Amino acid sequence: MLVNILWGIETVSAILLIVLILLHSPKGDGIAGIGGASHVFASQKSAEKGLNKLTGIVCAIFILCTFLIGFGIVK
C-alpha cells in the first residue's frame, strides 16, 4: 500500500521536475551575447531564485522516494 503511494509521489515529482527544469532560463549567452542583448531580460532574479528553490525541493522528494523504493525500506 505505502509503496504504491511512493510510486505515485515519485511519478508526480518526476513530471514536475521535467517541467521545472524546462522553465529555467538558459545560463549561456549564446549568440545573443555578441550584441549585448543577453542582459535585456535579466531583471527577474527573484523569480529565478524561487524557481531554483522549488526545483531543489522537488528533486529532494524524487531522490528520497527513489531511495526508499530502491532499497526496499518501505514494503
Side-chain angles (χ1 to χ4, degrees):
M1 174 74 180
L2 192 57
V3 174
N4 293 335
I5 294 171
L6 281 175
W7 273 110
I9 293 172
E10 186 176 23
T11 304
V12 170
S13 65
I15 294 169
L16 273 174
L17 201 56
I18 291 169
V19 170
L20 289 172
I21 289 173
L22 288 176
L23 284 176
H24 278 278
S25 63
K27 301 295 181 205
D29 291 340
I31 206 160
I34 295 171
S38 63
H39 301 293
V40 174
F41 300 108
S43 64
Q44 296 182 350
K45 294 293 181 186
S46 63
E48 188 74 23
K49 283 173 60 175
L51 189 60
N52 286 340
K53 185 182 249 186
L54 186 61
T55 304
I57 291 170
V58 173
C59 182
I61 292 170
F62 178 78
I63 290 173
L64 180 68
C65 288
T66 301
F67 281 131
L68 288 176
I69 294 171
F71 287 128
I73 295 173
V74 178
K75 295 183 180 187

